Amino acid sequence: MADIKLFTSESVTEGHPDKLADQISDAVLDALLAQDPNSRVALETLLTRGLAVIAGELTTTAYVEMAQLVRDTIVEVGYDNTNVGFDGHTTGVMLAIQAQSVNIAAGVNRSKEEQGAGDQGMMFGYACDESAELMPLPITIAHKLTARYTAARKADKSLGFRPDGKSQVTLVYSDGKPDHIDTIVFAAQHEEGLAREEVERRVIETVVEPVLKEYGSLVTSKIKYHVNPTGQFVIGGPQGDTGVTGRKIIVDTYGGYARHGGGAFSGKDPSKVDRSAAYIARYLAKNVVAAGLAGKCEIQLAYAIGVAQPVSIFVDTFGTATVPESQIAARLQDRSLIDLRPAFIIDRLGLTDSSRVCYQQTAKNGHFGHAGFTWEATDLAAALRA
C-alpha cells in the first residue's frame, strides 16, 4: 500500500507588507554596493500606515538619497495612491542608522584570505530532483502563482487586483514522489465593490490555470480551491498589517520542506554569512543533485565570527546518494573545486557586483529556484561528478 503524505508551502506577493520591507532593505543595499562594493550593511525596514522606518548599521563611502529610494520602491510595487491604503509618494521616512560595530569590523575587514565571517551561525542549502528548478514542488508552484498574480495585476488594471496577496499549495506525495495537487489557497487584495465569487473567478482564470498548465500530470478535477475564504480583502499592505524585514524566511527559502538557518537575508551585505553562505549552500546542494550524486541533498555550513574557514560542513542526502555521503562532503571541502571562505564565496557568486546580482529581485519571489541568480548555476556539477 502506498505511503501517502500531504505537504504545504506558501508564498507571498511583492506587495505583502513583509516582502515590501525586504525589498526596501535590499533596494538600499543595491544602491550602496553599486557605488561602494565594500559597503557594510545591516538594515531593517518597518512599515506601517503612512510610515517607513529604516534602522540598522551602515559603513560606506557611498551616498544614497535613502528616503527617496524608499518611496520609489513603494511606488514601484504599486502602492501609489491612498485609494490602495498606502501611498509611496507621501510616505514618511524615518532613518535610525549608525556605523557598523568596530568589534565586528575587526573580524571582517582583513585580507581576502583572512576575511572572517561577519557573524557566527549555521546556514542550510537544499535541492531535489522533483522539479526542473531542482526545488521542492510545493514552494515552486506557490512562487509561480504569486509571480503570475503580480504580472496579471500590472498588465490588466481592469482585474481590480491590488498589490497584497498570498498563495498556498498542498501537494500529495505517494511513496515520497509528487502525485497530485490537493489544495490551492489564494488571498488576493482587490478594489472595493468586487464580489468574492468574481475575485475567485478572476484569480482562477488569470492566475491559477495558466500556472497549472505547466503541471498537467499533477492536475486533477478534484483540486480544492479557497480564494479569499473570509470574503472581502480590500484593506491590505502596510495599512492592514505591519511589515518588517526578515519575517518571511520560510517563503525566502524552501517553503518549510528543508531547514534554514537562523538569520534572514534581506538588507545584509554578503560579508554576512547569513546571506552569502546560504547562497553557496544552495549552489552546492543544487550541483550535487545536478551531478547525479543524489536525488535530494541538504547541506549545512557553520561559521565562527572572524574566522574564514567554515567550522563544519554536513551533507544529508536522505538515502538517495549514488556515492557515499562522506565522499560528497570531502569533495565539497576541496579548495581546488570550491573555496568556502567568505571572500571567495563573494567572488565566485559575484555578490558585490551590481551587474551580476540585484538583491531587490531576490526579495520579490524567493531567493532560490530562479534562473539568473548566480547561485542557481550548475557549473560545478561536472567537476563533482568527475
Side-chain angles (χ1 to χ4, degrees):
M1 188 173 182
D3 178 24
I4 303 297
K5 295 180 178 178
L6 280 72
F7 191 86
T8 302
S9 292
E10 76 160 355
S11 181
V12 298
T13 67
E14 64 176 30
H16 185 282
D18 291 331
K19 266 283 141 250
L20 181 57
D22 287 340
Q23 289 166 79
I24 290 170
S25 295
D26 274 340
V28 174
L29 173 64
D30 283 332
L32 293 167
L33 290 177
Q35 294 183 40
D36 178 9
N38 293 315
S39 295
R40 298 292 182 245
V41 185
L43 295 179
E44 316 289 341
T45 300
L46 180 145
L47 298 171
T48 189
R49 187 168 187 169
L51 178 65
V53 180
I54 317 300
E57 296 77 50
L58 171 61
T59 298
T60 185
T61 62
Y63 176 76
V64 173
E65 288 283 358
M66 204 170 295
Q68 189 59 49
L69 182 56
V70 170
R71 296 189 180 101
D72 290 344
T73 304
I74 294 168
V75 170
E76 177 191 335
V77 167
Y79 293 111
D80 54 5
N81 65 78
T82 55
N83 290 333
V84 296
F86 196 60
D87 185 357
H89 296 108
T90 58
T91 297
V93 179
M94 180 183 298
L95 304 179
I97 298 171
Q98 59 187 347
Q100 183 187 47
S101 162
V102 294
N103 299 140
I104 295 174
V108 177
N109 297 337
R110 297 174 178 172
S111 68
K112 180 177 179 178
E113 289 73 17
E114 296 300 322
Q115 179 179 325
D119 200 353
Q120 70 178 54
M122 71 287 184
M123 302 81 205
F124 289 91
Y126 182 80
C128 61
D129 60 6
E130 65 184 51
S131 70
E133 297 83 1
L134 301 186
M135 285 282 287
L137 264 175
I139 188 65
T140 298
I141 298 173
H143 280 327
K144 289 184 178 181
L145 289 171
T146 52
R148 173 69 188 179
Y149 174 84
T150 296
R153 169 178 66 83
K154 291 182 174 180
D156 186 356
K157 303 292 186 183
S158 70
L159 289 171
F161 295 158
R162 289 180 175 176
D164 201 353
K166 286 184 175 183
S167 68
Q168 186 171 287
V169 176
T170 300
L171 206 68
V172 176
Y173 285 80
S174 178
D175 293 330
K177 299 293 184 181
D179 189 82
H180 63 274
I181 298 169
D182 182 82
T183 306
I184 291 178
V185 181
F186 205 98
Q189 186 192 15
H190 59 85
E191 64 186 25
E192 294 187 51
L194 277 179
R196 193 203 69 80
E197 293 76 15
E198 179 61 19
V199 174
E200 179 177 35
R201 184 188 68 80
R202 294 181 186 187
V203 166
I204 291 176
E205 289 182 0
T206 65
V207 177
V208 177
E209 289 179 352
V211 170
L212 293 191
K213 286 180 181 178
E214 187 179 340
Y215 300 97
S217 61
L218 300 176
V219 179
T220 73
S221 60
K222 296 181 179 180
I223 295 176
K224 296 184 283 290
Y225 295 100
H226 299 286
V227 178
N228 289 8
T230 63
Q232 296 290 295
F233 183 14
V234 174
I235 300 171
Q239 179 191 20
D241 190 13
T242 302
V244 181
T245 301
R247 285 207 299 197
K248 287 292 177 283
I249 51 179
I250 288 288
V251 173
D252 287 342
T253 54
Y254 307 99
Y257 198 96
R259 288 173 285 192
H260 62 78
F265 303 149
S266 290
K268 296 177 182 177
D269 77 84
S271 72
K272 280 73 171 173
V273 285
D274 279 343
R275 184 166 218 160
S276 53
Y279 288 172
I280 200 70
R282 160 65 178 169
Y283 172 78
L284 296 178
K286 186 174 183 180
N287 276 272
V288 166
V289 174
L293 302 182
K296 297 180 180 180
C297 183
E298 185 177 73
I299 292 176
Q300 184 204 58
L301 301 175
Y303 288 83
I305 188 169
V307 179
Q309 195 66 22
V311 299
S312 70
I313 301 175
F314 176 76
V315 177
D316 189 351
T317 61
F318 308 93
T320 67
T322 59
V323 299
E325 287 179 350
S326 59
Q327 192 176 115
I328 296 174
R331 293 182 191 184
L332 299 181
Q333 294 178 74
D334 182 352
R335 279 192 189 173
S336 67
L337 292 180
I338 184 77
D339 196 320
L340 298 176
R341 289 175 290 179
F344 291 85
I345 294 173
I346 291 169
D347 273 1
R348 185 176 191 107
L349 300 182
L351 297 181
T352 57
D353 184 346
S354 58
S355 69
R356 297 181 66 192
V357 176
C358 175
Y359 289 109
Q360 187 178 353
Q361 283 301 120
T362 70
K364 287 180 178 287
N365 207 234
H367 294 244
F368 306 120
H370 304 293
F373 295 163
T374 57
W375 47 93
E376 292 296 317
T378 54
D379 54 346
L380 190 64
L384 289 175
R385 193 182 301 119

